[in-house]
Structures are given as C-alpha cells and as structure tokens.
Amino acid sequence: MSSTRDIDALIDLMAKLPGLGPRSARRAVLHLIRKRALQMTPLADLMQNVAASARECVNCGNIGTADLCDICTSNKRANGQICVVEDVADLWAMERSGVFKGRYHVLGGTLSALDAVGPEDLRIPRLADRIGDEDITEIILALNATVDGQTTAHYIADQLEDRVTLTSLAQGVPIGGELDYLDDGTISAALNARKPI
Amino acid sequence: MSSTRDIDALIDLMAKLPGLGPRSARRAVLHLIRKRALQMTPLADLMQNVAASARECVNCGNIGTADLCDICTSNKRANGQICVVEDVADLWAMERSGVFKGRYHVLGGTLSALDAVGPEDLRIPRLADRIGDEDITEIILALNATVDGQTTAHYIADQLEDRVTLTSLAQGVPIGGELDYLDDGTISAALNARKPI
Ligand SMILES: [Zn+2]
Ligand SMILES: [Zn+2]
C-alpha cells in the first residue's frame, strides 16, 4: 500500500526499458499518474494480458498467443516462401510493408564467434526441417546489412543452397543499415527487386 | 485473448508516453515480452497498484497515497518553510538533492495569459492560506528560470510579501534552465545561496 515506494519502484522498472533512462522514466510515470484512469489502468491491464498470453511460435519464433503463431497457422501464407529475419521487430517491419505473402523464420540474432552464438542458438536446424515440412521452394534472407548479418546469410546459403532457391533483399537496404529503421517503401522496393544469391 | 491485437494496442499506448514514439514503443514491448516473467508482470502489477492508490495531496499538490502526502503529514518537515515548485518532477528533483527540510507547494504550471492560466488554477489561494495554517515564515520560490516561471514568481511575491519572507533559488540556475534537468549539486548550491526577493 505504500505507494511512494511503489512509485519509486515503478520508475526504476520503467528506466530499464530500452530507450528510456531515469529522467524519461520519471516523466513517463508522472504522465501516467496524471492520466491514471484513461491511460495507466488500460496500460497495466494490457501488459498483464500480454504477459500472460504472449509466447514464441515453436515453428518460426514469431510472437503470438499459441504454440503456433497466426502466420504459421494461416493457409494463405503457405506459398512456399520463407523470409528469414533476425528479430521479431524485423518481422513487424516486413509485415507493415504488406508486400510479403509467405511465412517467416525469426533467427533471434546472428551468428557470432565472439558471443559464442552458433547455428543451434538461431533456429537454423528448424529452418532446414521446415523446407520439407512446408514444401518450401524459396528462402528470402532479409538479414541486416551488417557484417554479422551477412556472415549469417552466407552460412545459411551454404547449408541450404542444394535444396531451395535462396534470395536476399536487394535494392534499397543501405550499407550498415538495419531493417527496422527503413520506411515501408524501401522495404517494398528491396523485396520486389530481390536477387538470387 | 487475441494477443496479437493486444500487443498492437499495448504498443499504441506505450507510444503515447512522453519521450517514446512508435519505434521505441515497439522495442520496449518486444523487450518486455522477452522478459515477461521478470519485468513485464511486475511492471503491470506496480502500475495497477499505483493507478489505484496514487492521488494529489489536497494541501500541496504532491503525489502520494492519501488525501495528505507524506511530507505534509510529517512533523519533521514543519520548519516554517515552503518551497514552491511548478511540477512534481521539480519536487522530486529538490528531494533528490536532500538539502531542503521544509514542505512544498506544487503549482502545477505557471501563470499564462495565452493559455488562460490564472492564480486559482495554480493553487495560489491555497498557498496563501497555508501561511497561517502552518505558521510559515519563509517561502522559497523554486520556479524555472523561464519567462512564465519568473512572471509567476513575481505575482506570488506581490501577493505575499507583507506576510512572509520570500526568497528564490539563486546561484546556479542557468538562464532558461529547468530545475528537473539540473544535477543535485547545482540544486544544493542554489538553495544554500538563496537570496531575498
Ligand atoms: Zn510461427
Ligand atoms: Zn502534501
């Protein structure tokens, strides 16, 4: 019931969110307290719901509410294409562009010798299994144009080139750029102009 | 139960917080979903508690859990001094500096002809009442060094100069600066070097 302590604890937790620090967390909490009926309670309720229901899709790594995500269970998305992304944020960016009609595979990072991230840590074995399971004919590697992203793309291409057509996003991804920063038009252009690896 | 929609709604609500936009809200929500047990559930619980219990002190405008805040009910803070601030964020900044031992009065803004903010909107009548109610001998005007802040300080000084000693934060508050941006040491120096108006 000691809400002064609760307020301090709330500020501390908010300050841990990416992009926020102590000062912006204090501002956000004050804002929420002022709008506690209209914004804070709905926000807390939604967070509670999402915390209880959100989970990673066991097939692709996307976030949904069941063991399999909406995209993996939709027959409309079974067009023989899988788009491989590093992160759910990248999947969201692709979906906002609205151009890609297939399914996804979220690696959850990139290969990194330094951080000891190997293929098993990135769902790469599962990606190979999906080729047969879901009659995949094309894998589009939509990884970030960073050194680690491109290393990972080459590794996946080496593993799978005998089994499917491998393509990568082409035009429009700037050197060193990250997908999630791109506007929807750039993503559309890059997808439409994709080229074989 | 449709958490994909809940996730979108959660991102929209987070994006309304000061300092966050759509992109940082998406990052924050993904971060929370990944740490849903350790961070998201505790954050939602705390928000729920604070939304249910937080309220403005009827005496000073500080945020607490009861009609009167902890500072207004503490006899230790009844030293005859009131520090007048614009905002609860400024009160928090003063408290972090740890130098001020009296009570506060949170105006909730500054006088503004443009925005039609008058003395009644800023708890200024209540401030006058407190002088007698709480045996106040000094009022420290810790308003921001902005035009509106200084206009408000002069208005309050005009109203109350016959009844109490009026001082203002002196050294260290930069021209155009806002209290909540200052480091604790600067606030301490400004308070200790306060001068009569
Ligand atoms: Zn899935
Ligand atoms: Zn109070």
Side-chain angles (χ1 to χ4, degrees):
Chain A
M1 281 301 167
S2 159
S3 157
T4 307
R5 231 172 297 160
D6 281 353
I7 292 171
D8 290 342
L10 180 56
I11 291 168
D12 287 348
L13 274 182
M14 291 288 285
K16 285 185 188 159
L17 294 179
L20 286 171
R23 181 164 195 285
S24 46
R26 288 195 295 268
R27 289 266 157 202
V29 167
L30 266 184
H31 171 90
L32 285 171
I33 289 174
R34 286 195 196 106
K35 314 228 166 191
R36 51 196 177 275
L38 277 175
Q39 286 193 25
M40 198 179 204
T41 303
L43 182 57
D45 288 345
L46 271 172
M47 254 185 214
Q48 210 65 276
N49 290 352
V50 171
S53 65
R55 68 194 65 186
E56 282 183 355
C57 173
V58 295
N59 191 45
C60 77
N62 184 17
I63 286 169
T65 46
D67 284 348
L68 287 173
C69 73
D70 291 348
I71 294 173
C72 284
T73 51
S74 165
N75 284 328
K76 288 184 190 157
R77 305 298 293 252
N79 70 350
Q81 293 179 321
I82 286 179
C83 177
V84 177
V85 292
E86 288 178 27
D87 199 350
V88 175
D90 298 330
L91 184 160
W92 289 349
M94 292 290 297
E95 286 293 283
R96 284 197 301 280
S97 84
V99 188
F100 181 64
K101 307 298 184 195
R103 289 184 176 151
Y104 292 93
H105 200 75
V106 181
L107 295 178
T110 48
L111 292 174
S112 165
L114 206 64
D115 299 325
V117 179
E120 315 72 33
D121 303 311
L122 297 179
R123 295 194 187 82
I124 291 177
R126 175 83 209 121
L127 176 61
D129 292 343
R130 290 183 65 186
I131 295 173
D133 292 352
E134 300 175 48
D135 294 326
I136 299 303
T137 53
E138 179 179 1
I139 288 181
I140 300 161
L141 297 172
L143 303 182
N144 291 326
T146 57
V147 173
D148 280 348
Q150 294 311 302
T151 304
T152 307
H154 283 295
Y155 175 86
I156 293 173
D158 281 348
Q159 300 292 307
L160 306 180
E161 62 187 349
D162 299 335
R163 302 180 55 200
V164 286
T165 301
L166 283 150
T167 58
S168 64
L169 295 191
Q171 271 193 337
V173 182
I175 304 300
E178 298 195 357
L179 276 193
D180 192 31
Y181 282 89
L182 299 182
D183 61 291
D184 301 350
T186 308
I187 290 179
S188 302
L191 186 76
N192 288 329
R194 67 189 184 273
K195 57 181 188 355
I197 293 180
Chain B
M1 280 301 168
S2 161
S3 157
T4 307
R5 231 172 296 161
D6 281 353
I7 292 171
D8 290 342
L10 180 58
I11 291 168
D12 287 347
L13 274 182
M14 292 288 285
K16 287 186 186 160
L17 294 179
L20 286 171
R23 182 166 194 285
S24 45
R26 288 193 295 269
R27 290 265 158 205
V29 168
L30 267 184
H31 172 91
L32 284 171
I33 289 174
R34 286 193 195 105
K35 314 228 166 188
R36 52 195 176 275
L38 277 175
Q39 286 191 26
M40 199 180 204
T41 302
L43 182 58
D45 288 345
L46 272 173
M47 256 186 213
Q48 212 63 277
N49 290 353
V50 171
S53 64
R55 67 194 68 186
E56 282 184 356
C57 174
V58 295
N59 191 45
C60 79
N62 184 18
I63 286 169
T65 47
D67 284 347
L68 287 173
C69 74
D70 291 348
I71 294 174
C72 284
T73 51
S74 166
N75 284 328
K76 286 184 191 157
R77 305 299 292 254
N79 70 350
Q81 292 179 323
I82 286 179
C83 178
V84 177
V85 292
E86 289 179 24
D87 199 350
V88 175
D90 298 329
L91 184 160
W92 289 350
M94 291 292 297
E95 287 293 285
R96 284 198 301 278
S97 84
V99 188
F100 180 63
K101 306 299 183 194
R103 288 183 177 153
Y104 292 95
H105 200 74
V106 180
L107 296 178
T110 49
L111 292 174
S112 165
L114 205 65
D115 298 326
V117 179
E120 316 72 34
D121 303 311
L122 296 179
R123 296 194 187 84
I124 291 177
R126 176 85 209 123
L127 176 61
D129 292 343
R130 291 183 65 186
I131 295 173
D133 293 354
E134 300 176 49
D135 295 326
I136 299 304
T137 54
E138 180 180 1
I139 289 182
I140 300 161
L141 297 171
L143 303 182
N144 291 327
T146 58
V147 172
D148 281 348
Q150 294 311 302
T151 303
T152 308
H154 283 296
Y155 175 86
I156 294 173
D158 282 347
Q159 299 292 306
L160 307 179
E161 62 188 348
D162 299 336
R163 303 180 56 198
V164 286
T165 301
L166 284 150
T167 58
S168 65
L169 295 191
Q171 271 192 338
V173 181
I175 305 298
E178 299 194 357
L179 277 193
D180 192 31
Y181 282 88
L182 300 181
D183 61 292
D184 301 351
T186 307
I187 289 180
S188 303
L191 186 77
N192 288 329
R194 69 188 184 273
K195 58 179 188 356
I197 291 179

